[in-house]
Structures are given as C-alpha cells and as structure tokens.
Amino acid sequence: MALAAQQEKHMEFHSLEIEGMTFESSVVALGSSKVLVLGGAGDRGLEINSRFIKFTAIGIYVEDGIVPYLSPKLGGKSVEELCDKELLFEEVLSAPFEKLVRVVFLLPLTGPQYSEKVLERIGVQGIYKELKDEHKQQFLEIFKAENFPPRSSLVFSFTEEGLKIAFPKGNEIPEKPVAVVADKAFADAVLATIIWKDGVSPAAKVSLAERLSKYF
C-alpha cells in the first residue's frame, strides 16, 4: 500500500534561482539520455574578516527513482532529523542511482585552486582514506589548465563507473564528459565533500532535504 501511495503521489521539482543563477528543474545526464531532477540547490561561501563571501552556487540533481527507494527508510522523519543526523545524505551517497552536481562560480577561481580545495576537503572529512594517488593526480591534471570566471560552471556526474567531469560553455549540460576518473570510491569521496558531514554547502543540503522529504 505504501508503495502504491508513493507511485500515485505526483512529484514536482521546480527550478531554483541561487544568486541570480538558474538551476533548471531537470537535466539530461552526462553521456546518457537519462533525465535527472533538481533535488536541491544553494550557495557555498566562507566567513572572511567577519563577512560571508559567496564563492559558488551548487545544484544537486538525482534520479527521481531515488525517492521511492529511500522512502521506506526515511519516511516520516523531519527535515531537522534528516539534516542533523546526516540520515538523508548518507543514504543518497550510497543509493544506487546516478547523481549530478552543477557548480556555478560567483567569483573567479582557477582550476588548480578548485581541484586542490576538493582534495583538501576529502582529506579533512577523513571518510575515504584508501583513495589511490593516481586518481588524485588525474583529478588535478583535469583541472590544471582550467579557469573559472564568474558565471562559468562545471559538472560532476557520479555513477557506478566513477566520476565524470564536464565544463559547460553555457547553461546546457554537455552530451559527453571531457574526462572520467574511473573509480567509484573517488566519485563518492567528491560527492561526500558536497552533501555529507561538513559538506561545503549547508544551504544546498537543507534544500535537498526539504524538497525530497516532501515525497517520502
């Protein structure tokens, strides 16, 4: 009965605007025809000299099938429970569905600055300690020649095959990635820096919890 009720419940995931950047309600996944919906979005920033400086806006896309998959485990829990105990984000991280993150830059950043910060966050979290140095180096190389002026973006796709990366020239998600780090553990580690404990965008995490939990 619960599954039937879930299937009957119409799910709507509208677009969101973060700092003047629009995250569309759905996108086509990198390198496939699979449609992903906007689970949530928010800004990422740091407090510097008593001022909160926003560096990026982040949109998190998921397969809509993740909702009925997670409902038996998370149904009935409040947004506060899902966030404070990391219940939702741990489950999303391990769920066997494709996830995609679009990062839009609000301030200029170089590729090396961004990629080095990602690896630093992986180290700080300390969750994935067995990542291969070759995959870390490959990740750094992919970003080595990149520069991200304001309003430019990058896309991460998290799949069973690993981490797919693309650098869109406009708002459209490219059909194919520019590079793939073929290691699922590495892909999970990058996603964890965004959505799991001490993730870089608390606002995006709350948005994800609010929007998905409506349908649990």
Side-chain angles (χ1 to χ4, degrees):
M1 291 294 291
L3 180 59
Q6 177 64 55
Q7 290 173 336
E8 291 174 6
K9 190 183 293 186
H10 179 62
M11 293 187 291
E12 285 187 318
F13 294 93
H14 300 292
S15 63
L16 290 172
E17 186 170 303
I18 307 296
E19 296 298 312
M21 307 297 167
T22 299
F23 291 90
E24 300 297 338
S25 58
S26 64
V27 298
V28 177
L30 275 177
S32 80
S33 58
K34 191 178 297 181
V35 176
L36 308 179
V37 298
L38 180 62
D43 60 66
R44 178 209 177 167
L46 291 171
E47 192 166 309
I48 301 175
N49 297 327
S50 300
R51 289 181 59 210
F52 188 73
I53 308 297
K54 297 176 181 179
F55 291 96
T56 59
I58 298 172
I60 304 166
Y61 291 84
V62 296
E63 293 182 51
D64 59 6
I66 202 170
V67 173
Y69 176 83
L70 295 181
S71 291
K73 300 178 182 180
L74 302 178
K77 299 188 184 302
S78 67
V79 172
E80 289 74 19
E81 284 180 289
L82 294 175
C83 292
D84 293 346
K85 298 179 181 179
E86 302 290 339
L87 299 177
L88 172 63
F89 314 112
E90 184 174 7
E91 293 293 344
V92 168
L93 195 61
S94 62
F97 294 89
E98 186 164 347
K99 281 81 71 170
L100 181 146
V101 168
R102 180 183 173 216
V103 179
V104 181
F105 292 86
L106 305 177
L107 295 177
L109 210 62
T110 68
Q113 285 174 323
Y114 183 84
S115 57
E116 288 166 11
K117 181 60 70 173
V118 171
L119 293 185
E120 179 185 313
R121 292 300 307 166
I122 290 174
V124 168
Q125 284 192 319
I127 307 164
Y128 296 88
K129 299 179 180 179
E130 306 298 325
L131 299 180
K132 295 181 179 179
D133 288 340
E134 64 186 84
H135 293 136
K136 294 178 184 179
Q137 191 58 42
Q138 182 187 359
F139 184 74
L140 292 173
E141 285 295 322
I142 292 167
F143 284 84
K144 191 173 182 178
E146 297 298 323
N147 279 288
F148 302 109
R151 303 185 72 86
S152 63
S153 65
L154 66 85
V155 173
F156 289 132
S157 182
F158 308 89
T159 72
E160 293 299 312
E161 297 90 51
L163 176 67
K164 300 177 183 179
I165 302 169
F167 304 117
K169 298 306 179 187
N171 292 329
E172 297 295 321
I173 303 296
E175 290 185 9
K176 296 180 180 180
V178 296
V180 179
V181 180
D183 182 68
K184 186 177 185 302
F186 188 86
D188 288 346
V190 173
L191 182 56
T193 67
I194 299 168
I195 70 167
W196 207 56
K197 191 174 182 180
D198 301 322
V200 296
S201 177
K205 291 175 63 175
V206 171
S207 174
L208 181 66
E210 289 176 341
R211 285 162 66 94
L212 291 188
S213 65
K214 288 191 302 183
Y215 304 112
F216 288 161

